[in-house]
């Protein structure tokens, strides 16, 4: 199994896209089904965001000054997603705003993931050697079991707050 940081993050993205599609496919089904899928979406996004914020972003910012602006934009995009995740976590799937809020979350995250994959991950791959990317990936694998799983977990909240006041 590869420990390459970019490969690992893209695997997460793939799973996140799969969950988004599951939500969209459940459009005409019962709200409870969409509620369950959204719980999975929130968990996947919380873990992924934590690993990017704790390891990938600060590491890349240090090593590849060229992507500084992309990273700063990414922090802001994560922040918007964090707010939506936090609100959705406390919302009943039957709420009239639940589907709309999830749809906006999906649109935002798809845009963000697209920018990572198309715009700045390739620059990072070019700038860093294979060994460095494997080391960063290994750190994310080691941290993964300790990552928060819900948007209201203290570690997740602290990160969201840091993004506002830092
Ligand atoms: Fe990201
Ligand atoms: Fe990502």
């Amino acid at each position: 199994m590869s420990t390459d940081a970019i490969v690992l993050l893209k695997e997460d993205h793939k799973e996140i896209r799969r969950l988004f599609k599951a939500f969209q496919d459940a459009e005409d089904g019962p709200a409870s089904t969409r509620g369950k899928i959204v719980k999975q979406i929130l968990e996947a996004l919380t873990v992924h965001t934590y690993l990017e914020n704790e390891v990938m972003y600060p590491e890349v910012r240090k090593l590849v000054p060229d992507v500084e602006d992309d990273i700063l934009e990414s922090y802001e995009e994560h922040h918007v997603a964090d707010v939506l995740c936090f609100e959705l976590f406390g919302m009943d799937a039957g709420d009239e705003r639940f589907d709309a809020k999830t749809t906006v979350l999906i649109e935002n995250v798809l845009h963000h993931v697209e920018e990572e994959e198309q715009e700045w991950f390739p620059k990072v791959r070019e700038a860093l050697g294979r060994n460095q990317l494997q080391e960063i990936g290994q750190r994310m694998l080691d941290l993964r079991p300790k990552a928060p799983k819900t948007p209201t977990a203290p570690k997740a909240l602290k990160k969201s707050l840091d993004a506002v006041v830092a």
Side-chain angles (χ1 to χ4, degrees):
M1 191 186 76
S2 174
T3 69
D4 180 290
I6 292 176
V7 171
L8 294 176
L9 292 174
K10 281 186 172 177
E11 278 169 8
D12 274 3
H13 291 171
K14 201 171 154 195
E15 170 65 6
I16 287 163
R17 285 196 183 94
R18 187 189 69 77
L19 290 167
F20 286 171
K21 183 161 187 309
F23 174 83
Q24 286 158 345
D25 289 346
E27 185 184 18
D28 298 323
S32 61
T33 304
R34 287 192 298 283
K36 277 183 206 142
I37 298 166
V38 168
K39 283 272 174 297
Q40 291 175 272
I41 289 173
L42 296 181
E43 177 173 337
L45 288 178
T46 304
V47 171
H48 183 76
T49 296
Y50 185 76
L51 297 178
E52 287 190 337
N53 282 345
E54 284 290 311
V55 182
M56 184 70 173
Y57 287 7
E59 204 58 35
V60 166
R61 207 176 165 185
K62 211 166 55 194
L63 297 169
V64 195
D66 262 9
V67 298
E68 169 85 0
D69 288 352
D70 298 285
I71 300 267
L72 288 173
E73 195 179 319
S74 288
Y75 275 128
E76 294 308 317
E77 288 170 349
H78 272 226
H79 178 58
V80 171
D82 285 347
V83 171
L84 294 169
C85 286
F86 184 81
E87 291 175 351
L88 273 170
F89 188 70
M91 196 178 260
D92 191 273
D95 190 293
E96 66 169 6
R97 295 170 70 171
F98 188 83
D99 290 347
K101 208 177 276 292
T102 304
T103 299
V104 172
L105 174 68
I106 289 174
E107 285 169 358
N108 272 280
V109 171
L110 284 178
H111 164 82
H112 171 72
V113 161
E114 195 84 350
E115 282 192 348
E116 286 185 331
E117 292 191 355
Q118 308 295 327
E119 286 172 30
W120 64 267
F121 281 1
K123 292 188 213 165
V124 172
R125 160 124 12 249
E126 216 167 285
L128 298 184
R130 199 179 351 152
N131 286 350
Q132 265 175 317
L133 280 170
Q134 285 175 347
E135 269 171 41
I136 297 171
Q138 189 59 54
R139 281 180 54 203
M140 289 196 287
L141 284 174
D142 293 343
L143 191 63
R144 200 175 183 96
K146 296 178 203 126
K149 291 191 167 61
T150 63
T152 55
K155 280 191 211 168
L157 282 177
K158 184 179 178 304
K159 276 290 140 196
S160 308
L161 204 63
D162 286 349
V164 189
V165 295

